[in-house]
Amino acid sequence: MDVAQTAKRLKALYSAVVYDIMDEMGLPHQCLDLAIAPLDRSMQVAGPAYTVMAGPDMRERDEMPPNTKLADFGVFTQMYDGCVVVVGAAGERQSGIWGELMSNASRARGATGVVIDGGIRDGRLVREIDGLGVFARYTSPIESLRRSRIHDIEIPISMTGTTTSQVRVNPGDWIFGDEDGVLVIPKDALDEVLAKSEEAKDIEDKVREEVQAGVPVIDVYNKYGRL
């Protein structure tokens, strides 16, 4: 699978049509909490999930047990071209678990997006990073040290959902987000979701054209079965 080409195809769509297809496929609970929004409304994010598990933690650095997986800024070393960093903060609602320097480091490792079920710092500087779509629950000036901490990477994580309390994100599941919301597309369903979404968009383009031309809505709906 060509990650860049697949991301390009997704970004030519919009989250509403992709959600409709997943809903029809029996995957209705894949939308993250709608409070998780882009720092700039024009931002999109599309790519395989690079998962980061974080959460509230009041310990000092010297109180933490050794963690070879995260030592020497190991959170960045497994990132790859086209990935989307997905951070589950386990309900921490004060600090910015991610910031501008971490975002720049992620972009340098090839990440094209960051999605955080929590806070981010340095919002203005983050928005200026070229090629990085960033979605977060809130912005905060508050440092994460002694408030929250990254605990693990590239494992299944929980993100707050919209139609369900939690959405599971596995490493490699696809993330697609725009100003309407962020969707988690199971990696095994990606090809089918993408193909059907493109077909649906083509139909909606025809519907839009006929409605704008003044064709009665009922006639358009009867013809295409979508509105």
Side-chain angles (χ1 to χ4, degrees):
M1 178 185 63
D2 185 319
V3 170
Q5 183 60 32
T6 301
K8 183 178 179 179
R9 289 172 64 189
L10 272 172
K11 286 183 176 182
L13 301 168
Y14 35 92
S15 61
V17 73
V18 177
Y19 178 84
D20 287 349
I21 292 302
M22 289 201 293
D23 198 17
E24 293 169 5
M25 289 173 57
L27 295 167
H29 304 305
Q30 299 301 116
C31 183
L32 300 187
D33 190 335
L34 298 178
I36 301 171
L39 292 187
D40 183 284
R41 289 177 67 87
S42 65
M43 286 180 172
Q44 289 179 294
V45 66
Y50 176 88
T51 60
V52 178
M53 177 184 284
D57 196 325
M58 298 181 71
R59 290 175 290 182
E60 299 283 355
R61 286 195 176 97
D62 59 9
E63 295 181 271
M64 296 297 296
N67 186 330
T68 55
K69 204 171 181 183
L70 299 177
D72 300 321
F73 295 97
V75 66
F76 301 107
T77 58
Q78 293 185 48
M79 292 182 187
Y80 51 91
D81 286 346
C83 73
V84 174
V85 181
V86 184
V87 185
E92 205 280 332
R93 295 291 183 266
Q94 296 179 351
S95 65
I97 189 69
W98 212 261
E100 176 258 332
L101 295 177
M102 295 182 76
S103 296
N104 265 307
S106 301
R107 184 71 189 100
R109 291 290 302 175
T112 59
V114 179
V115 176
I116 307 172
D117 189 359
I120 191 166
R121 305 204 312 161
D122 314 311
R124 178 179 60 81
L125 295 172
V126 171
R127 287 197 303 271
E128 295 173 356
I129 300 173
D130 187 49
L132 192 72
V134 180
F135 290 62
R137 180 177 289 278
Y138 59 88
T139 57
S140 170
I142 299 172
E143 162 67 47
S144 61
L145 181 62
R146 296 183 298 277
R147 297 180 180 92
S148 60
R149 187 178 299 274
I150 293 170
H151 294 293
D152 210 341
I153 54 174
E154 285 293 80
I155 62 169
I157 62 172
S158 169
M159 300 284 278
T160 309
T162 295
T163 60
T164 188
S165 61
Q166 295 176 304
V167 178
R168 176 173 168 143
V169 183
N170 299 302
D173 284 346
W174 270 69
I175 305 298
F176 176 51
D178 57 22
E179 64 181 295
D180 284 350
V182 181
L183 305 176
V184 180
I185 307 171
K187 54 188 170 184
D188 293 341
L190 174 66
D191 290 343
E192 183 178 0
V193 169
L194 187 53
K196 289 183 174 180
S197 297
E198 289 173 332
E199 291 174 6
K201 180 182 180 297
D202 288 343
I203 292 173
E204 291 193 1
D205 288 345
K206 294 174 183 176
V207 168
R208 183 182 306 107
E209 182 179 342
E210 294 195 18
V211 168
Q212 289 175 343
V215 179
V217 172
I218 185 63
D219 293 343
V220 176
Y221 180 76
N222 288 337
K223 181 177 180 179
Y224 295 106
R226 299 190 79 92
L227 192 66

